[in-house]
Every structure is written in structure tokens, then in C-alpha cells.
Amino acid sequence: MLPRASNLPRGFVVSQVAEAARAVASAAFARRAAAGRLLAAEAENIARACHDMAVRFHRGGKLIVFGNGVQATDAQHVSVEFVHPVIVGKRALPAMTLTGDVATITGVARRDGFAEVFAHQLRHLAAPADIALGVTPDGRCQNVRRGLEAGRELGLLTIALAGGGGGDLAASRAVDHLLLAGSEDPLVVKEVHVTVYHVLWELVHVFFEQPGLLAPEVIQ
């Protein structure tokens, strides 16, 4: 049996706690480093998604973002990044979220079911030139999948941010670009997603500021 902490020298207790904290911190950073390396390996896919987004913006399209829970606030974060850039001098681009109108969400959920809360809004608010961006921690959110399916039916560019192996979205033909946070840890997925949508914003502006790059055939 281990001696009670109160019977141990204070320095010993502090050193044991510090060692345990270092181990936890080391493991936490290792999980994030692994996810970061996987994200870096997806640089080409992310660049292609950004090019396709820039082409849609160039044609007058807007970005429509949606997700559940924590990802609902991610959707709002993405939207405001494009509409009101924090970097002075960067062009504002049209974007909106489907997660902020409680009356619409609950009204649709009451009549048609929660699975339809994003699909219904897209069918009535989206235009063919637009971009649908669904955010999900594991790719298994039915309403996000249905939203992307509705977007595809309308002719939108469809992009999904997901975690793990992508869940149902990994095999879905409704998704033009699936960008994965390679982790099963929801905290790491959240952090990687924040990085991804900041990269989306940055690269879209790189392309958008070079109009000669915005013909769809430029990047194949």
C-alpha cells in the first residue's frame, strides 16, 4: 500500500505530481502532433477544395455552413471569418450559417424531423453556385449528411470536415471534398478543424486574389 500523501515529504509529492503532469502533457501533444502530420499530408486535397471554393465565390456564390452542438459554433466561426476578415485589407466574401435561427430549426424539426433541419434550409436558401460546408466530429451526423445530399442535388459544391475515418460521409457520393481530422479524440478533432477552416480561408484568398487561377481547369 502506498503511503498517504499527507505522510510524505512535500517535495516528493510535488515531484510526483509534476512527473504525472508531464506525462499527460506529453501524451496530449503527441496526439495533436500525429493529427497535425496527417493534416499536412492532406495539403493537396485541401488546396483543391480551396480552389473549387474560390471558383464558386468568383462566380458569385456564397458559403453556407452547418453542424451540431460544438460544430454549430464552428459553423458560425467559419461564416464570420469570410464575411468579416480579421486581417485588414482582405476581401469579405459572402457566407452564412444554418445554425443560428432557432425558430427555423425547431420548426423544421417538429414537422419533418431533426434530420432535415439543414437540408430544408438549403433547398430554400441556396443557389447552384453556392458552397455547402458541413462540420461533424465523426461523419455520422444524419442531418449534416442530409444537408450535403440536398446541396449536391441543387448543384452546390459540397465539402465536409469530419473526424476519424469520416463515418457515413467517407462513402457518400454527395461529398465533393472530405477533409479529415485523423483522430478519434473529439478535442483533437475540434482543434484540427479550427486549423482547417483557417487554412480554407487563407488559401481561398490566395486563389481569389489571382483571377487567372479561377478557371476550373487550372488545377486538375
Side-chain angles (χ1 to χ4, degrees):
M1 177 181 296
L2 293 173
R4 293 177 60 184
S6 60
N7 295 329
L8 294 173
R10 185 175 184 279
F12 178 83
V13 174
V14 170
S15 66
Q16 291 294 94
V17 170
E19 182 178 346
R22 282 194 294 269
V24 171
S26 178
F29 281 114
R31 292 195 301 274
R32 286 152 176 81
R37 287 192 293 271
L38 290 172
L39 177 62
E42 291 295 306
E44 182 176 345
N45 291 335
I46 293 172
R48 291 180 185 276
C50 291
H51 177 260
D52 287 351
M53 291 175 69
V55 168
R56 294 295 181 120
F57 281 123
H58 187 62
R59 294 175 177 173
K62 63 183 176 293
L63 175 63
I64 305 175
V65 199
F66 46 93
N68 298 289
V70 171
Q71 286 70 41
T73 60
D74 280 335
Q76 293 172 317
H77 187 165
V78 176
S79 177
V80 73
E81 291 276 356
F82 281 86
V83 170
H84 190 261
V86 295
I87 297 179
V88 175
K90 291 295 184 180
R91 179 171 178 170
L93 296 170
M96 61 181 293
T97 176
L98 302 182
T99 61
D101 187 341
V102 175
T104 296
I105 290 173
T106 55
V108 174
R110 175 179 174 273
R111 188 183 67 186
D112 300 328
F114 194 64
E116 296 300 312
V117 294
F118 302 135
H120 176 91
Q121 292 183 76
L122 280 164
R123 283 192 288 267
H124 293 279
L125 297 173
D130 292 344
I131 307 155
L133 174 58
V135 188
T136 166
D138 54 13
R140 296 186 176 89
C141 298
Q142 187 179 13
N143 57 4
V144 171
R145 177 176 57 79
R146 287 289 301 122
L148 292 167
E149 289 170 350
R152 167 53 66 85
E153 291 167 4
L154 294 166
L156 278 67
L157 174 69
T158 56
I159 302 173
L161 300 186
D168 300 335
L169 298 179
S172 175
R173 295 182 179 181
V175 181
D176 293 313
H177 297 285
L178 176 61
L179 307 179
L180 291 175
S183 175
E184 301 294 337
D185 184 334
L187 296 178
V188 175
V189 170
K190 161 74 174 177
E191 292 160 10
V192 172
H193 281 175
V194 172
T195 299
V196 171
Y197 58 71
H198 285 162
V199 171
L200 293 180
W201 178 88
E202 186 171 348
L203 289 184
V204 163
H205 278 82
V206 169
F207 284 119
F208 203 74
E209 291 166 0
Q210 303 293 327
L213 298 177
L214 296 182
E217 66 274 8
V218 170
I219 295 184
Q220 298 292 343

